[in-house]
Amino acid sequence: MSESGAYRRAYDAAATDPETFWLDAARAVDWESAPTRALDSTTPPFYRWFPGGTLNTCVNALDRHVAAGAGDRVALIHDSAMTGARVSFTYAELLATVSRFAGVLAAHGVRTGDRVVLYMPMIPEAVVAMLACARLGAVHSVVFGGFAAKELAARIDDADPVVVVTATGGLEPGRTVDYVTPVAAALEMSTATPRAVIVRTRPEVSIETPATWLDWDLEMETAEPADPVTVAATDPLYILYTSGTTGKPKGVVRDNGGHAVALTWSMRNIYDVGPGQVMWTASDVGWVVGHSYIVYGPLFAGATTVLYEGKPVGTPDAGAFWRVIADYGVRALFTAPTALRAIRKVDPDAALLDEYDVSSLETLFVAGERLDPDTFAWASRILGKPVVDHWWQTETGWAICANLRGLEAMPIKSGSPTVPVPGFRVGVLDASGAAVPENTEGNIVLELPLPPGTLTGLWNDDERFVKSYLDAFDGHYLTGDSGYVDADGYVYVLGRTDDVINVAGHRLSTGSIEAVVASHPAVAECAVIGIHDETKGQRPSAYVVLKSGVSIDEDTLRAELVAAVRADIGAVATFRDVTVVQALPKTRSGKILRKTMRQMADGTEVVVPSTIEDASVLDALAAVFRT
């Protein structure tokens, strides 16, 4: 990387003079009372950004664009592959709708600091409800619609909401998803006592709702629009419970001021998206990616955001990605690697791409799990556009490492999310806390304080916050990922630290083995886990899904993969187990359930996350593990 380029100047400025850097970034946000200092470090490790500043997040997402004369610009496009509906909202229209629903919430007693739980499908009302909470200074907690009643009840208990907002159901290919039953059951289980449940009745999901629940449309008819409420920059904007949580959930808390500054900065400098340009984040509003880059980030930037209902990959519509890009002139697409692998499996030659004009697309961004080299190469080849892997977490709220396309486009290295984003000081430590040399794997950590927009703590649980993230290495946040940094400063994330296995005393990353396996031309996707070995303690075992239409003898595949791993990693890996499977277990957000697979292989009690995409896949794997 250039030692004098825009990236280096920004990174050094954020590291050496964060006060000036972040106060300058804060000028892109509309404040009721602008902050005079950036960081409050008086009570470490509980750092706060922009103390003394006051603002309203909804004003920054909507009101200010309307006031600036951009009210007729399209803010939100809802594209439902399930109903065929395509609806657009201008900034003025979305502001009017959000203001009115804020009035609905206010009429039912929602005030600044109160919590509102949202359990919604991918419909415009989900975005409206989030922004309406922000308008009132209330704290929204969106629970992904895949969670069952027990998990929803735990989150309701923890957040203790004044109001719950839901819909009669969601739509997926070939089926409808009942939301009423799990919400009703969760409220029965919960000790919380919300004053009201507001339900959006969808004609496509006709389910009888409890008589005490309130109808969204009827409430909106009589509501008075609510004005925005000014809150402190350090006040909470939302609580988002981490996916896969068992027992008491961990509620990640995001503030108002740091969140607005960080996401506004990221839209311009990472995603290179500005006013009037279109960004499509193919995720769900129930996940952090949906919070940051379906809802808040694009609207802060005055851009147009696409809210897509349905699975944009797989049978029968593997061309949905290309269709949406062409229809709306998408400039930046953000998705998960698993989506690209699904497209490639159905349409390996990308024949469907030829049917659409995707020339508007400037960059494809991916995150959620490691982008394997083969998928990276395939996507780069068929699109002829930069394919940017970037790395972040629910806790960070935005990218830790990225190729900052708007600040300074940098060379892309397969397997790396490029470099630390200004504000994030990335280190790699061994178990003793000592820094490791370049190209040496270790624990990836972030030096405190974390930049604006990251978690300020866990909801009502400071002790757990410290224990979960800060106790392992003094002065650092533990990401839970392992990896290394190369001589050019590029970061390589190999996988979760619990994906490191011990083979005859040698610690090996299953992520590095997966990278080799995934590069085989016959492999669509794979997972490598450690299984028990009587002699060596553990050994790696690969489970692979073949590309559509590929025919290869399993013994031949095994021999080729064993040779490849031996060549790239060495005989120390003791790699010899390869099993072809029809599918891998995943969450609905596309993450492979490696932990669940390890539990099945070990014969321990299997904890199946309620967000699993297809539970029947586990039955097929169980038969594999039994043999």
Side-chain angles (χ1 to χ4, degrees), residues 264 438 499 534:
T264 301
E438 63 187 38
D499 286 336
E534 289 290 345

Side-chain angles (χ1 to χ4, degrees), residues 135-216:
R135 191 168 191 80
L136 297 176
V139 182
H140 64 67
S141 183
V142 183
V143 180
F144 175 63
F147 277 107
K150 182 179 179 181
E151 286 78 13
L152 176 57
R155 288 149 178 78
I156 291 173
D157 276 342
D158 197 61
D160 191 21
V162 173
V163 171
V164 173
V165 183
T166 189
T168 49
L171 303 174
E172 294 184 359
R175 71 184 188 118
T176 60
V177 182
D178 172 10
Y179 279 35
V180 173
T181 300
V183 171
L187 291 171
E188 284 290 327
M189 298 177 196
S190 173
T191 58
T193 55
R195 298 178 189 174
V197 178
I198 301 171
V199 58
R200 173 69 168 92
T201 300
R202 304 189 69 187
E204 302 87 3
V205 189
S206 181
I207 297 173
E208 185 176 354
T209 59
T212 55
W213 289 14
L214 306 172
D215 181 78
W216 175 292

Side-chain angles (χ1 to χ4, degrees), residues 52 64 72 75 84 86 103 128 158 162 206 280 285 335 397 434 464 482 566 580 588:
R64 67 169 174 165
D72 290 338
R86 302 182 189 182
V128 168
D158 197 61
V162 173
S206 181
W280 176 28
V285 293
T335 190
R464 191 178 185 191
S482 68
R566 187 181 183 92
V580 175
R588 295 187 183 189

Side-chain angles (χ1 to χ4, degrees), residues 279-309:
M279 182 173 189
W280 176 28
T281 299
S283 181
D284 190 286
V285 293
W287 305 124
V288 70
V289 169
H291 280 55
S292 294
Y293 295 111
I294 295 177
V295 183
Y296 289 112
L299 297 180
F300 287 156
T304 299
T305 185
V306 178
L307 179 77
Y308 183 91
E309 181 181 40

Side-chain angles (χ1 to χ4, degrees), residues 508-575:
L508 297 173
S509 166
T510 56
S512 61
I513 300 173
E514 280 186 10
V516 178
V517 174
S519 67
H520 191 284
V523 175
E525 58 184 353
C526 67
V528 175
I529 63 172
I531 63 173
H532 177 70
D533 185 276
E534 289 290 345
T535 304
K536 298 181 180 294
Q538 285 182 296
R539 69 175 188 270
S541 183
Y543 301 85
V544 303
V545 178
L546 298 180
K547 292 178 183 176
S548 180
V550 169
S551 177
I552 184 171
D553 178 74
E554 192 161 342
D555 289 338
T556 301
L557 176 65
R558 181 181 298 107
E560 292 176 356
L561 291 177
V562 167
V565 171
R566 187 181 183 92
D568 276 38
I569 296 174
V572 67
T574 318
F575 178 74

Side-chain angles (χ1 to χ4, degrees), residues 403-426:
N403 197 307
L404 292 90
R405 306 304 293 178
L407 179 63
E408 179 186 357
M410 303 174 72
I412 295 173
K413 293 187 181 183
S414 175
S416 172
T418 314
V419 291
V421 170
F424 287 98
R425 291 166 293 169
V426 175

